[in-house]
Amino acid sequence: GLTGSTEFSDAGGTLRLASRAASLDLPRVFQAPIDVDRLDGSATWKRRDGVVDVRIETLEFANAHASGQASGTYRSARDGPGSIDLAARVTDADATAVHRYVPRWISAETREWLRRGLRAGRASDATLRLAGNLAEFPFVDGKGGTFRVVARASGAALDFAEGWPGLTAIDANVRFEGKGMFIDARSARYAGAEVGRTRATIPDLDAEFPDLVIDGEAAGPVADFLRYVETSPVAGWLGGVTDGAEGAGRGRLKLRLDLVLGA
């Protein structure tokens, strides 16, 4: 579905895109084709001694989940996938669609957790930085390059594990870096209680059974915490000792969960 014009020779060329209702199929990067409502931009390339240098001057895109723009360079290599230096900014992205756009090397368990777990939310501003030798991607511990996605999310809802009350009204920074995902929430609600700073981390998205660690603290009415116990696996662990319990006043809840996804 691409529409545009091109000029080229054996030494290089230019490409100008003005496309509507296009589809990008990059099977080595994404699990499925990505539909694009609008794709406008221009790029140039040069070929010398068997090496191709590509420069994306500007690329603007939009679909049902987000809109944004990107620019950067790519150089092919005689051996290997080549090197890249790409920067992109996305505005007004739908957080529930994240699982569609993570690279295909991320484990199926993590991809499914993202699909089921992220129930709501918008990212008003997100940035992508991808730079380095693609043979080293995803650049673990910064070796060989940089892979970083940072987004500010609001109004998000996260059902992190079956049987546990989810986090709602999340205002957080979300970061994908190397093989890890990090969610740093400034505020949220958990089982009716106000949650302060909370962190959710998956250190290795590519693990067969990735670890998910959630660490935070909530404050609110004691009655809400008792209700939390009743609606979570904690009630079973306690043998029903809190069944019918009542409480008044305010309290604090420390939350620390270490879960294995897909096990």
Side-chain angles (χ1 to χ4, degrees), residues 29-90:
V29 181
F30 301 111
Q31 287 283 87
I34 295 175
D35 293 329
V36 182
D37 297 334
R38 177 175 60 84
L39 186 64
D40 298 322
S42 62
T44 60
W45 70 92
K46 296 179 181 179
R47 184 176 182 274
R48 183 176 181 181
D49 298 329
V51 174
V52 178
D53 284 296
V54 179
R55 175 176 295 277
I56 300 173
E57 304 290 350
T58 179
L59 185 66
E60 297 183 356
F61 53 88
N63 66 8
H65 305 131
S67 60
Q69 56 187 17
S71 62
T73 60
Y74 167 77
R75 168 171 285 188
S76 68
R78 291 184 175 85
D79 297 313
S83 58
I84 195 169
D85 189 344
L86 178 69
R89 181 177 295 275
V90 175

Short mmCIF file of all heavy atoms in Angstrom, two decimals, residues 29-90:
data_model
loop_
_atom_site.label_atom_id
_atom_site.label_comp_id
_atom_site.label_asym_id
_atom_site.label_seq_id
_atom_site.Cartn_x
_atom_site.Cartn_y
_atom_site.Cartn_z
N VAL A 29 11.61 -8.25 12.73
CA VAL A 29 11.51 -7.31 13.84
C VAL A 29 10.23 -7.52 14.65
O VAL A 29 10.26 -7.62 15.88
CB VAL A 29 11.56 -5.85 13.33
CG1 VAL A 29 11.49 -4.88 14.51
CG2 VAL A 29 12.84 -5.62 12.52
N PHE A 30 9.08 -7.61 13.95
CA PHE A 30 7.78 -7.71 14.63
C PHE A 30 7.09 -9.02 14.31
O PHE A 30 7.29 -9.61 13.24
CB PHE A 30 6.88 -6.54 14.22
CG PHE A 30 7.44 -5.19 14.54
CD1 PHE A 30 7.86 -4.34 13.53
CD2 PHE A 30 7.58 -4.77 15.85
CE1 PHE A 30 8.38 -3.09 13.81
CE2 PHE A 30 8.11 -3.53 16.15
CZ PHE A 30 8.51 -2.69 15.13
N GLN A 31 6.23 -9.46 15.23
CA GLN A 31 5.53 -10.72 15.07
C GLN A 31 4.53 -10.68 13.92
O GLN A 31 4.28 -11.69 13.28
CB GLN A 31 4.79 -11.06 16.37
CG GLN A 31 5.68 -11.50 17.50
CD GLN A 31 6.13 -12.93 17.33
OE1 GLN A 31 7.14 -13.22 16.68
NE2 GLN A 31 5.41 -13.86 17.91
N ALA A 32 3.91 -9.53 13.68
CA ALA A 32 2.85 -9.42 12.68
C ALA A 32 2.98 -8.09 11.93
O ALA A 32 3.60 -7.14 12.44
CB ALA A 32 1.48 -9.52 13.34
N PRO A 33 2.39 -7.99 10.73
CA PRO A 33 2.41 -6.71 9.99
C PRO A 33 1.75 -5.60 10.80
O PRO A 33 0.84 -5.84 11.60
CB PRO A 33 1.61 -7.04 8.73
CG PRO A 33 1.72 -8.51 8.57
CD PRO A 33 1.75 -9.07 9.96
N ILE A 34 2.22 -4.37 10.58
CA ILE A 34 1.70 -3.20 11.27
C ILE A 34 0.95 -2.33 10.27
O ILE A 34 1.52 -1.90 9.27
CB ILE A 34 2.84 -2.40 11.92
CG1 ILE A 34 3.50 -3.24 13.02
CG2 ILE A 34 2.31 -1.08 12.49
CD1 ILE A 34 4.72 -2.57 13.63
N ASP A 35 -0.33 -2.11 10.54
CA ASP A 35 -1.13 -1.25 9.68
C ASP A 35 -0.85 0.22 9.99
O ASP A 35 -0.78 0.61 11.16
CB ASP A 35 -2.62 -1.54 9.87
CG ASP A 35 -2.99 -2.93 9.37
OD1 ASP A 35 -2.36 -3.39 8.41
OD2 ASP A 35 -3.91 -3.54 9.96
N VAL A 36 -0.70 1.02 8.96
CA VAL A 36 -0.40 2.45 9.11
C VAL A 36 -1.42 3.25 8.31
O VAL A 36 -1.55 3.06 7.09
CB VAL A 36 1.03 2.78 8.62
CG1 VAL A 36 1.33 4.25 8.84
CG2 VAL A 36 2.06 1.91 9.31
N ASP A 37 -2.15 4.13 8.98
CA ASP A 37 -3.14 4.96 8.29
C ASP A 37 -2.47 6.03 7.43
O ASP A 37 -2.96 6.38 6.36
CB ASP A 37 -4.06 5.63 9.31
CG ASP A 37 -4.87 4.61 10.10
OD1 ASP A 37 -5.11 3.51 9.57
OD2 ASP A 37 -5.25 4.91 11.25
N ARG A 38 -1.34 6.55 7.94
CA ARG A 38 -0.62 7.61 7.21
C ARG A 38 0.87 7.40 7.37
O ARG A 38 1.36 7.13 8.47
CB ARG A 38 -1.02 8.98 7.76
CG ARG A 38 -0.28 10.16 7.12
CD ARG A 38 -0.83 11.49 7.63
NE ARG A 38 -0.70 11.65 9.07
CZ ARG A 38 0.42 12.08 9.67
NH1 ARG A 38 1.49 12.38 8.96
NH2 ARG A 38 0.44 12.22 10.99
N LEU A 39 1.61 7.52 6.26
CA LEU A 39 3.06 7.38 6.28
C LEU A 39 3.64 8.35 5.27
O LEU A 39 3.53 8.17 4.06
CB LEU A 39 3.46 5.94 5.92
CG LEU A 39 4.94 5.58 6.03
CD1 LEU A 39 5.41 5.70 7.47
CD2 LEU A 39 5.18 4.17 5.51
N ASP A 40 4.24 9.43 5.78
CA ASP A 40 4.82 10.48 4.93
C ASP A 40 6.29 10.64 5.29
O ASP A 40 6.66 10.61 6.47
CB ASP A 40 4.11 11.82 5.14
CG ASP A 40 2.63 11.75 4.78
OD1 ASP A 40 2.31 11.07 3.78
OD2 ASP A 40 1.82 12.36 5.49
N GLY A 41 7.13 10.88 4.31
CA GLY A 41 8.53 11.12 4.63
C GLY A 41 9.43 11.07 3.42
O GLY A 41 8.97 10.88 2.28
N SER A 42 10.71 11.23 3.69
CA SER A 42 11.70 11.19 2.62
C SER A 42 12.98 10.56 3.14
O SER A 42 13.31 10.66 4.32
CB SER A 42 11.98 12.59 2.09
OG SER A 42 12.52 13.41 3.11
N ALA A 43 13.68 9.90 2.25
CA ALA A 43 14.93 9.24 2.59
C ALA A 43 15.86 9.28 1.39
O ALA A 43 15.41 9.35 0.24
CB ALA A 43 14.69 7.81 3.04
N THR A 44 17.15 9.21 1.66
CA THR A 44 18.15 9.14 0.59
C THR A 44 19.10 7.99 0.90
O THR A 44 19.23 7.56 2.05
CB THR A 44 18.97 10.44 0.49
OG1 THR A 44 19.66 10.66 1.75
CG2 THR A 44 18.08 11.63 0.21
N TRP A 45 19.74 7.46 -0.12
CA TRP A 45 20.73 6.42 0.12
C TRP A 45 21.86 6.53 -0.90
O TRP A 45 21.68 7.04 -2.00
CB TRP A 45 20.10 5.03 0.09
CG TRP A 45 19.63 4.55 -1.24
CD1 TRP A 45 20.33 3.81 -2.16
CD2 TRP A 45 18.35 4.77 -1.84
NE1 TRP A 45 19.58 3.56 -3.27
CE2 TRP A 45 18.35 4.12 -3.09
CE3 TRP A 45 17.19 5.43 -1.42
CZ2 TRP A 45 17.24 4.14 -3.94
CZ3 TRP A 45 16.10 5.44 -2.25
CH2 TRP A 45 16.12 4.81 -3.49
N LYS A 46 23.03 6.03 -0.46
CA LYS A 46 24.21 6.01 -1.31
C LYS A 46 24.83 4.62 -1.22
O LYS A 46 24.82 3.99 -0.16
CB LYS A 46 25.24 7.06 -0.87
CG LYS A 46 24.76 8.49 -0.99
CD LYS A 46 25.82 9.47 -0.52
CE LYS A 46 25.33 10.91 -0.62
NZ LYS A 46 26.36 11.87 -0.14
N ARG A 47 25.36 4.16 -2.34
CA ARG A 47 25.98 2.84 -2.40
C ARG A 47 27.41 2.98 -2.88
O ARG A 47 27.67 3.59 -3.93
CB ARG A 47 25.19 1.93 -3.33
CG ARG A 47 25.68 0.50 -3.39
CD ARG A 47 24.74 -0.33 -4.27
NE ARG A 47 25.15 -1.72 -4.32
CZ ARG A 47 26.04 -2.22 -5.16
NH1 ARG A 47 26.62 -1.41 -6.05
NH2 ARG A 47 26.34 -3.50 -5.15
N ARG A 48 28.34 2.41 -2.09
CA ARG A 48 29.74 2.51 -2.46
C ARG A 48 30.49 1.29 -1.92
O ARG A 48 30.36 0.97 -0.73
CB ARG A 48 30.37 3.79 -1.90
CG ARG A 48 31.83 3.99 -2.31
CD ARG A 48 32.35 5.31 -1.80
NE ARG A 48 33.73 5.53 -2.20
CZ ARG A 48 34.46 6.59 -1.88
NH1 ARG A 48 33.89 7.57 -1.16
NH2 ARG A 48 35.71 6.71 -2.28
N ASP A 49 31.23 0.63 -2.78
CA ASP A 49 32.02 -0.54 -2.40
C ASP A 49 31.17 -1.60 -1.70
O ASP A 49 31.61 -2.23 -0.73
CB ASP A 49 33.19 -0.13 -1.49
CG ASP A 49 34.17 0.81 -2.19
OD1 ASP A 49 34.30 0.69 -3.43
OD2 ASP A 49 34.78 1.64 -1.50
N GLY A 50 29.93 -1.78 -2.18
CA GLY A 50 29.07 -2.80 -1.62
C GLY A 50 28.40 -2.45 -0.31
O GLY A 50 27.67 -3.27 0.26
N VAL A 51 28.61 -1.23 0.20
CA VAL A 51 27.99 -0.78 1.45
C VAL A 51 26.96 0.30 1.12
O VAL A 51 27.23 1.21 0.34
CB VAL A 51 29.04 -0.23 2.43
CG1 VAL A 51 28.37 0.38 3.66
CG2 VAL A 51 30.00 -1.34 2.84
N VAL A 52 25.77 0.18 1.74
CA VAL A 52 24.69 1.14 1.50
C VAL A 52 24.50 1.99 2.74
O VAL A 52 24.34 1.48 3.86
CB VAL A 52 23.38 0.42 1.15
CG1 VAL A 52 22.26 1.44 0.95
CG2 VAL A 52 23.55 -0.43 -0.10
N ASP A 53 24.51 3.31 2.55
CA ASP A 53 24.21 4.26 3.62
C ASP A 53 22.83 4.87 3.36
O ASP A 53 22.61 5.45 2.30
CB ASP A 53 25.26 5.38 3.68
CG ASP A 53 26.56 4.91 4.30
OD1 ASP A 53 26.53 4.55 5.48
OD2 ASP A 53 27.58 4.89 3.58
N VAL A 54 21.94 4.74 4.33
CA VAL A 54 20.58 5.26 4.20
C VAL A 54 20.38 6.36 5.24
O VAL A 54 20.76 6.21 6.40
CB VAL A 54 19.54 4.15 4.43
CG1 VAL A 54 18.13 4.72 4.31
CG2 VAL A 54 19.74 3.02 3.45
N ARG A 55 19.79 7.46 4.80
CA ARG A 55 19.45 8.54 5.72
C ARG A 55 17.95 8.83 5.63
O ARG A 55 17.46 9.17 4.55
CB ARG A 55 20.24 9.82 5.41
CG ARG A 55 19.83 11.03 6.27
CD ARG A 55 20.69 12.23 6.01
NE ARG A 55 22.06 11.99 6.40
CZ ARG A 55 22.51 12.12 7.66
NH1 ARG A 55 21.67 12.51 8.62
NH2 ARG A 55 23.77 11.88 7.95
N ILE A 56 17.25 8.66 6.73
CA ILE A 56 15.84 9.02 6.81
C ILE A 56 15.77 10.48 7.24
O ILE A 56 16.06 10.80 8.40
CB ILE A 56 15.08 8.13 7.82
CG1 ILE A 56 15.18 6.65 7.40
CG2 ILE A 56 13.62 8.54 7.91
CD1 ILE A 56 14.60 5.70 8.43
N GLU A 57 15.45 11.34 6.31
CA GLU A 57 15.39 12.76 6.63
C GLU A 57 14.25 13.04 7.60
O GLU A 57 14.41 13.73 8.62
CB GLU A 57 15.20 13.58 5.35
CG GLU A 57 16.25 13.32 4.28
CD GLU A 57 17.62 13.88 4.67
OE1 GLU A 57 17.71 14.62 5.67
OE2 GLU A 57 18.59 13.56 3.96
N THR A 58 13.09 12.52 7.28
CA THR A 58 11.93 12.66 8.15
C THR A 58 10.93 11.56 7.80
O THR A 58 10.79 11.18 6.63
CB THR A 58 11.26 14.04 8.00
OG1 THR A 58 10.11 14.11 8.86
CG2 THR A 58 10.83 14.28 6.58
N LEU A 59 10.25 11.05 8.80
CA LEU A 59 9.23 10.02 8.58
C LEU A 59 8.12 10.28 9.60
O LEU A 59 8.34 10.20 10.81
CB LEU A 59 9.81 8.63 8.78
CG LEU A 59 8.87 7.45 8.47
CD1 LEU A 59 8.54 7.43 6.99
CD2 LEU A 59 9.50 6.13 8.89
N GLU A 60 6.94 10.63 9.10
CA GLU A 60 5.78 10.86 9.97
C GLU A 60 4.78 9.73 9.75
O GLU A 60 4.52 9.34 8.62
CB GLU A 60 5.15 12.21 9.66
CG GLU A 60 6.07 13.38 9.94
CD GLU A 60 5.41 14.73 9.71
OE1 GLU A 60 4.23 14.72 9.25
OE2 GLU A 60 6.04 15.76 9.96
N PHE A 61 4.22 9.24 10.86
CA PHE A 61 3.33 8.08 10.77
C PHE A 61 2.18 8.23 11.76
O PHE A 61 2.27 8.96 12.76
CB PHE A 61 4.09 6.79 11.07
CG PHE A 61 4.85 6.83 12.37
CD1 PHE A 61 4.26 6.46 13.57
CD2 PHE A 61 6.17 7.25 12.40
CE1 PHE A 61 4.95 6.51 14.76
CE2 PHE A 61 6.88 7.31 13.60
CZ PHE A 61 6.27 6.94 14.78
N ALA A 62 1.09 7.53 11.47
CA ALA A 62 -0.07 7.54 12.36
C ALA A 62 -0.92 6.31 12.06
O ALA A 62 -1.04 5.89 10.90
CB ALA A 62 -0.91 8.80 12.17
N ASN A 63 -1.47 5.73 13.12
CA ASN A 63 -2.46 4.66 12.96
C ASN A 63 -3.42 4.71 14.14
O ASN A 63 -3.46 5.71 14.87
CB ASN A 63 -1.80 3.28 12.79
CG ASN A 63 -1.07 2.82 14.04
OD1 ASN A 63 -1.14 3.45 15.10
ND2 ASN A 63 -0.37 1.72 13.92
N ALA A 64 -4.19 3.67 14.33
CA ALA A 64 -5.22 3.69 15.36
C ALA A 64 -4.64 3.75 16.77
O ALA A 64 -5.34 4.12 17.72
CB ALA A 64 -6.10 2.44 15.23
N HIS A 65 -3.35 3.43 16.94
CA HIS A 65 -2.76 3.34 18.27
C HIS A 65 -1.85 4.49 18.64
O HIS A 65 -1.62 4.75 19.83
CB HIS A 65 -1.98 2.03 18.41
CG HIS A 65 -2.78 0.81 18.10
ND1 HIS A 65 -2.35 -0.18 17.24
CD2 HIS A 65 -4.02 0.44 18.52
CE1 HIS A 65 -3.27 -1.12 17.16
NE2 HIS A 65 -4.30 -0.77 17.90
N ALA A 66 -1.31 5.21 17.66
CA ALA A 66 -0.35 6.27 17.97
C ALA A 66 -0.04 7.08 16.72
O ALA A 66 -0.38 6.69 15.60
CB ALA A 66 0.94 5.68 18.54
N SER A 67 0.64 8.19 16.94
CA SER A 67 1.20 8.97 15.84
C SER A 67 2.55 9.49 16.28
O SER A 67 2.84 9.60 17.46
CB SER A 67 0.27 10.15 15.48
OG SER A 67 0.11 11.01 16.60
N GLY A 68 3.41 9.80 15.29
CA GLY A 68 4.73 10.27 15.66
C GLY A 68 5.60 10.53 14.46
O GLY A 68 5.14 10.57 13.32
N GLN A 69 6.89 10.71 14.74
CA GLN A 69 7.85 10.98 13.68
C GLN A 69 9.20 10.37 14.04
O GLN A 69 9.49 10.13 15.22
CB GLN A 69 8.00 12.49 13.46
CG GLN A 69 8.39 13.25 14.71
CD GLN A 69 8.35 14.76 14.48
OE1 GLN A 69 7.74 15.25 13.52
NE2 GLN A 69 9.00 15.50 15.36
N ALA A 70 10.02 10.11 13.03
CA ALA A 70 11.32 9.48 13.24
C ALA A 70 12.31 10.01 12.22
O ALA A 70 11.95 10.51 11.15
CB ALA A 70 11.20 7.96 13.11
N SER A 71 13.59 9.89 12.56
CA SER A 71 14.68 10.22 11.64
C SER A 71 15.90 9.43 12.08
O SER A 71 16.00 8.98 13.21
CB SER A 71 14.98 11.73 11.67
OG SER A 71 15.40 12.13 12.96
N GLY A 72 16.85 9.26 11.14
CA GLY A 72 18.05 8.54 11.51
C GLY A 72 18.82 8.03 10.32
O GLY A 72 18.52 8.39 9.17
N THR A 73 19.79 7.17 10.59
CA THR A 73 20.64 6.63 9.55
C THR A 73 20.80 5.13 9.73
O THR A 73 20.63 4.59 10.82
CB THR A 73 22.04 7.28 9.57
OG1 THR A 73 22.66 7.02 10.84
CG2 THR A 73 21.95 8.78 9.35
N TYR A 74 21.14 4.46 8.62
CA TYR A 74 21.43 3.03 8.65
C TYR A 74 22.57 2.76 7.67
O TYR A 74 22.61 3.31 6.57
CB TYR A 74 20.21 2.21 8.24
CG TYR A 74 20.54 0.75 7.97
CD1 TYR A 74 20.74 -0.14 9.00
CD2 TYR A 74 20.67 0.31 6.64
CE1 TYR A 74 21.07 -1.47 8.74
CE2 TYR A 74 21.00 -1.02 6.38
CZ TYR A 74 21.21 -1.90 7.43
OH TYR A 74 21.54 -3.19 7.17
N ARG A 75 23.52 1.90 8.09
CA ARG A 75 24.61 1.49 7.20
C ARG A 75 24.67 -0.03 7.17
O ARG A 75 24.72 -0.69 8.21
CB ARG A 75 25.94 2.05 7.69
CG ARG A 75 27.15 1.44 6.99
CD ARG A 75 28.44 2.15 7.31
NE ARG A 75 28.52 3.43 6.59
CZ ARG A 75 29.61 4.19 6.57
NH1 ARG A 75 30.70 3.83 7.22
NH2 ARG A 75 29.60 5.32 5.90
N SER A 76 24.63 -0.58 5.96
CA SER A 76 24.69 -2.03 5.82
C SER A 76 26.12 -2.51 6.10
O SER A 76 27.06 -1.72 6.17
CB SER A 76 24.26 -2.45 4.42
OG SER A 76 25.21 -2.02 3.45
N ALA A 77 26.24 -3.82 6.27
CA ALA A 77 27.55 -4.43 6.51
C ALA A 77 27.71 -5.66 5.64
O ALA A 77 26.73 -6.34 5.31
CB ALA A 77 27.70 -4.80 7.98
N ARG A 78 28.94 -5.94 5.23
CA ARG A 78 29.17 -7.13 4.40
C ARG A 78 28.86 -8.40 5.20
O ARG A 78 28.38 -9.39 4.65
CB ARG A 78 30.61 -7.15 3.91
CG ARG A 78 30.91 -6.05 2.88
CD ARG A 78 32.34 -6.17 2.36
NE ARG A 78 32.60 -5.21 1.30
CZ ARG A 78 32.97 -3.97 1.52
NH1 ARG A 78 33.12 -3.52 2.77
NH2 ARG A 78 33.20 -3.14 0.50
N ASP A 79 29.14 -8.35 6.50
CA ASP A 79 28.83 -9.46 7.39
C ASP A 79 27.96 -8.95 8.52
O ASP A 79 28.36 -8.05 9.26
CB ASP A 79 30.11 -10.08 7.97
CG ASP A 79 31.00 -10.68 6.88
OD1 ASP A 79 30.48 -11.39 6.03
OD2 ASP A 79 32.21 -10.39 6.90
N GLY A 80 26.75 -9.49 8.65
CA GLY A 80 25.87 -9.06 9.73
C GLY A 80 24.80 -8.10 9.25
O GLY A 80 24.76 -7.69 8.08
N PRO A 81 23.91 -7.69 10.18
CA PRO A 81 22.76 -6.87 9.81
C PRO A 81 23.05 -5.38 9.66
O PRO A 81 22.16 -4.62 9.28
CB PRO A 81 21.78 -7.11 10.98
CG PRO A 81 22.68 -7.42 12.14
CD PRO A 81 23.86 -8.15 11.57
N GLY A 82 24.25 -4.93 9.98
CA GLY A 82 24.58 -3.52 9.83
C GLY A 82 24.40 -2.73 11.10
O GLY A 82 24.16 -3.28 12.19
N SER A 83 24.50 -1.40 10.98
CA SER A 83 24.40 -0.53 12.16
C SER A 83 23.35 0.55 11.91
O SER A 83 23.08 0.92 10.76
CB SER A 83 25.75 0.12 12.47
OG SER A 83 26.23 0.86 11.36
N ILE A 84 22.80 1.08 13.00
CA ILE A 84 21.69 2.02 12.90
C ILE A 84 21.85 3.13 13.93
O ILE A 84 22.49 2.95 14.98
CB ILE A 84 20.35 1.27 13.13
CG1 ILE A 84 19.15 2.13 12.67
CG2 ILE A 84 20.20 0.85 14.59
CD1 ILE A 84 17.84 1.36 12.62
N ASP A 85 21.28 4.27 13.62
CA ASP A 85 21.19 5.38 14.58
C ASP A 85 19.84 6.03 14.33
O ASP A 85 19.67 6.83 13.41
CB ASP A 85 22.32 6.38 14.36
CG ASP A 85 22.38 7.44 15.46
OD1 ASP A 85 21.39 7.57 16.21
OD2 ASP A 85 23.42 8.12 15.57
N LEU A 86 18.85 5.66 15.14
CA LEU A 86 17.46 6.05 14.92
C LEU A 86 16.88 6.70 16.16
O LEU A 86 17.08 6.23 17.28
CB LEU A 86 16.63 4.82 14.55
CG LEU A 86 15.13 5.03 14.32
CD1 LEU A 86 14.90 5.82 13.03
CD2 LEU A 86 14.41 3.69 14.25
N ALA A 87 16.16 7.81 15.94
CA ALA A 87 15.44 8.48 17.03
C ALA A 87 13.99 8.68 16.60
O ALA A 87 13.72 9.03 15.45
CB ALA A 87 16.08 9.82 17.36
N ALA A 88 13.06 8.44 17.50
CA ALA A 88 11.64 8.60 17.18
C ALA A 88 10.91 9.17 18.39
O ALA A 88 11.31 8.96 19.54
CB ALA A 88 11.02 7.27 16.77
N ARG A 89 9.83 9.87 18.11
CA ARG A 89 8.96 10.41 19.16
C ARG A 89 7.53 10.07 18.80
O ARG A 89 7.10 10.27 17.66
CB ARG A 89 9.12 11.92 19.29
CG ARG A 89 8.24 12.53 20.39
CD ARG A 89 8.50 14.03 20.53
NE ARG A 89 9.84 14.28 21.00
CZ ARG A 89 10.20 14.28 22.28
NH1 ARG A 89 9.30 14.05 23.22
NH2 ARG A 89 11.45 14.53 22.64
N VAL A 90 6.80 9.54 19.78
CA VAL A 90 5.41 9.12 19.58
C VAL A 90 4.53 9.92 20.54
O VAL A 90 4.88 10.12 21.70
CB VAL A 90 5.25 7.61 19.84
CG1 VAL A 90 3.79 7.20 19.75
CG2 VAL A 90 6.09 6.82 18.85
#
